[in-house]
Amino acid sequence: MNILVCVKHVPDTETAVKIGADGKSIQTQDVNFILNPYDEFALEEALKIKEAKGGEVTLITAGPEEAKKSLRTGLAMGADKAMHILCDESHDSLALAFCLAEGIKDESFDLILCGKQAMDEDNAQVPIMLADKLGLPNISAVIKLEIGDGTATAHREFEGGTEVVETSLPAVISAHKGLNEPRYASLKGIMMAKKKEIKDVSCTCAESGLEILDMAYPPSRAGGRIVGEGTDAVPELVKLLREEAKVI
Amino acid sequence: MSIPDLYNIESLFSEDELMVRDSVRLFVQDKILPKVKQWNREAVFPKQLIPEIADLGLLGAYLTGYGCPGISYNAYGFAMQELERGDSGFRSFVSVQNGLCMYPINAFGSDEQKEKWLPPMARGKKIGCFGLTEPDFGSDPSGMITTAKKQGSEYILNGTKMWITNGSIADIAIVFAKTDDGVNGFLVEKGTPGFTAPEIQGKLSLRVSVTSELLFDNCRISAENVLPGAKGLKAALMCLNQARFSIAWGVIGAALACFEEALEYAKTRIQFSKPIASFQLVQAKFAQMWTEIVKAQFLCYRLGQLMDQGKATPAAISMAKRNNVHMALNVARTCRDILGAAGIVDDYHVMRHMDNLESVYTYEGTHDIHTLILGQELTGIGAFG
């Protein structure tokens, strides 16, 4: 199996994000960037399939030079090689999907795996748009994946049940938490990653159709309020939790 | 908020060295920190983690060949730092397997011994321990009374080794004993008649680590289990240099864990209507501790380079072990102080680290012995005896 895994270099979820001076972007200095956690599930699945069936795992990302750090992490986890579409601008999902499709136009893959969404913008659109652009079937947010002979069977979770979907391959499939437990980059993997190829791919990226106008912090939390005392206050508290806070 | 890298120390290290740090840190966060409190209470070393520690490549990390990754000493140092950020017991486990077992087999063993032991030790299938210290000979190992008498093609071991990390879980013990031709190293396999390794009970420190006695009662060792290159105490001391290097790096992890916990606590603990971090006495403690941590990092950074170049002298290693463990113990005590009463319960990590560091302060050469090693280096006069 020749497997492509699309990855993104995103701010660490433990980082406190600060809005930049232009009010439209986040400050990237002093922010630790990591391989998008959902993409780790996709990569782990690709590595497992490769271990079971043989083949090759290729990573691809579109992003600035620093994104090579995440490619290096993926190579250390066990991917065989990587492609890097160098672009500094931040793209909307559609432009990014076109960009990735353009980057792999000379390659062929039996399976394309992605994380279901990137932790930075949370749009969860690129895998679907990429599939559409490539003319391939798409299954989103899978929690279990079985590869057959030219087919894949995927399990998707929704409230109250599981959906089982079968597709022909190649296809674009996105990974959800629970699909597997990603491995740690081993010391040996880290040393081997130094010798693996990261190919720079130049391609003309499509222009973003969306423009970010403004970014703002969420409003700071208001103080609590006491709705009454003793057991008499319980009905009112429950009513407010249900109707106002909408948490129950 | 992360602590600022005032001296841009991160830029001194290569990308792969930092990746080793980050990968081991993730492992410790996921697999060790959530359970270490319970293991410490129960005084158990979680053997079930050994395969995962081996999968990470931590066993035999800086050796090449035999399935080992061959990372730099500083990458290895970072791995030790991150393990000890979890608990000194894990760093002890790994540094004994590496510096005191795989290193001597690689440096002093025959090709057959290396082929037999190093691959399974790298995979965590075989665990090692190192027997030098005896009940009556700790800082003064040359006085050891464990003997190996040659009889035909065999050696007969008699004696007791004490305070042996991994002893009761080890498949192979590297044991130093006196022969008619001076001190030599031997490989003693678990199950050899006359060899037992009872665990030492009642420790108030390094509870997440196995510490044992090794008892030899007419234990017969075949000649093929003599480590041919391990002649004289010098061989044992070469092993200790490896382990002392990993301690110098490791304890920075314990210090960082305490520092970060105390800083977070001080910023959120309100007294006199404001966070205790706003008081000058508390800030002075943080300023002093951080300065000492950064100085310790620089010692380790340079020492790792010297280790890679084969230029690290025993005195240079002593200086780093002595300084850094003393630093880490002081940081742990100061952080315990900042946490007040909260610092004495195991919901926080500081006191576990502090208790562990009390052992680290006196093992692999006590603080005082390292002081004397430096004293001898500077004056040319030994003041040991």
Side-chain angles (χ1 to χ4, degrees):
Chain A
M1 291 276 288
N2 203 8
I3 308 170
L4 179 74
V5 182
C6 306
V7 300
K8 192 173 183 188
H9 192 55
V10 298
D12 192 339
T13 46
E14 289 178 11
T15 304
V17 171
K18 288 188 191 145
I19 297 172
D22 63 359
K24 298 178 184 182
S25 60
I26 64 157
Q27 270 181 23
T28 52
Q29 68 267 37
D30 302 328
V31 175
N32 186 36
F33 278 71
I34 57 167
L35 177 60
N36 176 39
Y38 285 112
D39 300 344
E40 287 189 1
F41 299 123
L43 174 55
E44 176 64 32
E45 199 65 17
L47 296 173
K48 280 185 164 167
I49 295 167
K50 178 192 150 182
E51 282 159 8
K53 297 179 179 292
E56 193 174 59
V57 175
T58 306
L59 300 169
I60 189 166
T61 196
E65 184 61 29
E66 299 83 69
K68 284 204 167 59
K69 185 186 165 210
S70 282
L71 291 177
R72 200 65 75 188
T73 302
L75 292 171
M77 285 172 71
D80 298 289
K81 57 193 174 71
M83 300 164 70
H84 186 187
I85 302 169
L86 269 168
C87 52
D88 282 325
E89 289 171 72
S90 89
H91 295 290
D92 65 26
S93 302
L94 192 63
L96 193 54
F98 279 29
C99 192
L100 291 171
E102 178 75 11
I104 58 166
K105 66 177 188 297
D106 299 328
E107 317 269 337
S108 83
F109 296 98
D110 304 308
L111 175 63
I112 297 176
L113 289 167
C114 310
K116 82 173 175 90
Q117 67 193 75
M119 300 289 269
D120 51 357
E121 289 171 342
D122 279 340
N123 286 320
Q125 293 173 333
V126 171
I128 304 161
M129 291 169 165
L130 177 63
D132 185 67
K133 178 72 182 167
L134 296 172
L136 296 177
N138 167 253
I139 308 174
S140 287
V142 310
I143 54 159
K144 187 178 170 191
L145 183 62
E146 289 153 346
I147 302 296
D149 189 14
T151 60
T153 308
H155 294 235
R156 307 179 68 240
E157 203 172 40
F158 55 89
E159 208 164 320
T162 305
E163 180 182 64
V164 183
V165 188
E166 191 183 89
T167 178
S168 61
L169 291 177
V172 179
I173 295 174
S174 71
H176 200 348
K177 189 176 182 181
L179 178 60
N180 50 46
E181 191 181 341
R183 65 196 67 190
Y184 302 95
S186 74
L187 275 47
K188 202 169 193 176
I190 290 167
M191 296 306 281
M192 283 164 66
K194 292 204 285 191
K195 295 175 192 141
K196 291 177 180 170
E197 181 196 19
I198 297 183
K199 191 166 96 181
D200 284 328
V201 181
S202 60
C203 70
T204 322
C205 294
E207 277 190 29
S208 289
L210 288 177
E211 186 190 349
I212 294 171
L213 299 177
D214 187 36
M215 281 190 182
Y217 294 106
S220 54
R221 282 188 198 175
R225 111 172 165 256
I226 294 168
V227 297
E229 286 187 14
T231 49
D232 292 349
V234 172
E236 175 69 4
L237 182 63
V238 170
K239 178 170 169 268
L240 289 173
L241 286 173
R242 182 169 289 141
E243 292 173 8
E244 197 177 299
K246 295 185 171 125
V247 292
I248 57 171
Chain B
M1 194 187 83
S2 61
I3 301 160
D5 183 4
L6 288 180
Y7 280 75
N8 207 356
I9 291 178
E10 187 134 334
S11 67
L12 296 173
F13 298 96
S14 67
E15 188 182 30
D16 50 292
E17 288 168 342
L18 296 173
M19 282 174 79
V20 168
R21 177 195 65 183
D22 294 346
S23 196
V24 179
R25 183 178 295 179
L26 270 182
F27 172 79
V28 170
Q29 267 174 11
D30 294 348
K31 305 287 173 149
I32 293 179
L33 290 180
K35 295 183 183 153
V36 68
K37 172 172 124 178
Q38 201 57 33
W39 294 328
N40 192 63
R41 279 190 183 179
E42 294 166 2
V44 292
F45 172 73
K47 282 189 287 183
Q48 66 274 21
L49 279 185
I50 293 174
E52 292 183 67
I53 289 170
D55 282 348
L56 261 179
L58 287 169
L59 308 180
Y62 53 81
L63 299 182
T64 45
Y66 307 103
C68 300
I71 60 173
S72 70
Y73 271 96
N74 274 338
Y76 179 64
F78 266 136
M80 297 302 98
Q81 170 186 302
E82 294 309 318
L83 279 179
E84 196 146 0
R85 192 193 284 272
D87 192 275
S88 301
F90 289 96
R91 199 267 306 133
S92 298
F93 169 78
V94 172
S95 74
V96 166
Q97 177 86 344
N98 279 302
L100 299 183
C101 299
M102 296 181 74
Y103 170 83
I105 291 172
N106 191 52
F108 311 126
S110 66
D111 288 344
E112 293 75 22
Q113 289 168 339
K114 293 182 204 179
E115 284 296 339
K116 179 177 177 185
W117 291 105
L118 293 178
M121 291 181 87
R123 291 199 308 274
K125 302 282 186 201
K126 297 286 180 190
I127 301 306
C129 69
F130 177 86
L132 176 65
T133 296
E134 299 185 355
D136 296 322
F137 296 92
S139 295
D140 177 20
S142 64
M144 70 170 70
I145 50 177
T146 298
T147 55
K149 289 257 181 266
K150 191 155 194 205
Q151 195 175 83
S153 64
E154 291 180 326
Y155 283 86
I156 301 177
L157 244 61
N158 277 294
T160 302
K161 298 291 179 181
M162 188 78 173
W163 309 116
I164 310 304
T165 300
N166 298 349
S168 308
I169 58 168
D171 303 286
I172 182 77
I174 316 283
V175 178
F176 285 85
K178 274 187 176 158
T179 70
D180 291 339
D181 301 324
V183 171
N184 210 320
F186 297 86
L187 294 168
V188 185
E189 294 183 42
K190 183 181 193 168
T192 306
F195 170 41
T196 48
E199 190 168 352
I200 295 171
Q201 303 295 331
K203 284 183 298 168
L204 300 174
S205 172
L206 290 179
R207 290 171 61 78
V208 189
S209 176
V210 175
T211 313
S212 315
E213 287 181 81
L214 307 181
L215 309 176
F216 304 99
D217 178 13
N218 287 320
C219 175
R220 302 175 90 88
I221 307 297
S222 66
E224 68 193 36
N225 278 353
V226 178
L227 273 175
K231 291 201 187 306
L233 263 188
K234 185 171 184 292
L237 296 177
M238 284 170 70
C239 302
L240 294 179
N241 282 333
Q242 302 292 314
R244 290 166 181 173
F245 171 79
S246 61
I247 293 169
W249 260 102
V251 291
I252 293 174
L256 286 170
C258 294
F259 185 91
E260 287 169 8
E261 186 165 62
L263 187 60
E264 185 59 33
Y265 184 87
K267 290 198 297 195
T268 51
R269 169 73 175 169
I270 309 292
Q271 288 295 286
F272 303 100
S273 306
K274 48 186 177 179
I276 62 169
S278 58
F279 299 119
Q280 292 180 354
L281 284 175
V282 175
Q283 290 198 359
K285 287 173 183 148
F286 284 121
Q288 183 61 30
M289 286 192 288
W290 191 241
T291 306
E292 291 305 319
I293 290 172
V294 172
K295 284 155 68 178
Q297 288 174 322
F298 273 109
L299 274 185
C300 278
Y301 161 67
R302 181 63 186 145
L303 185 60
Q305 288 184 326
L306 293 174
M307 295 287 284
D308 279 331
Q309 295 162 9
K311 290 180 184 167
T313 63
I317 296 168
S318 279
M319 184 190 277
K321 193 275 181 185
R322 176 184 182 276
N323 179 79
N324 291 11
V325 181
H326 187 248
M327 175 283 294
L329 182 55
N330 281 339
V331 165
R333 288 171 175 165
T334 305
C335 290
R336 212 296 297 159
D337 165 10
I338 291 169
L339 264 72
I344 71 162
V345 291
D346 61 6
D347 290 337
Y348 292 92
H349 297 295
V350 284
M351 193 140 172
R352 179 171 47 79
H353 282 301
M354 190 184 93
D355 291 344
N356 285 339
L357 289 164
E358 290 288 351
S359 292
V360 181
Y361 193 70
T362 56
Y363 78 13
E364 308 289 358
T366 66
H367 183 79
D368 287 350
I369 287 293
H370 289 298
T371 307
L372 295 180
I373 290 171
L374 288 176
Q376 182 179 37
E377 182 78 6
L378 295 170
T379 62
I381 306 165
F384 297 96

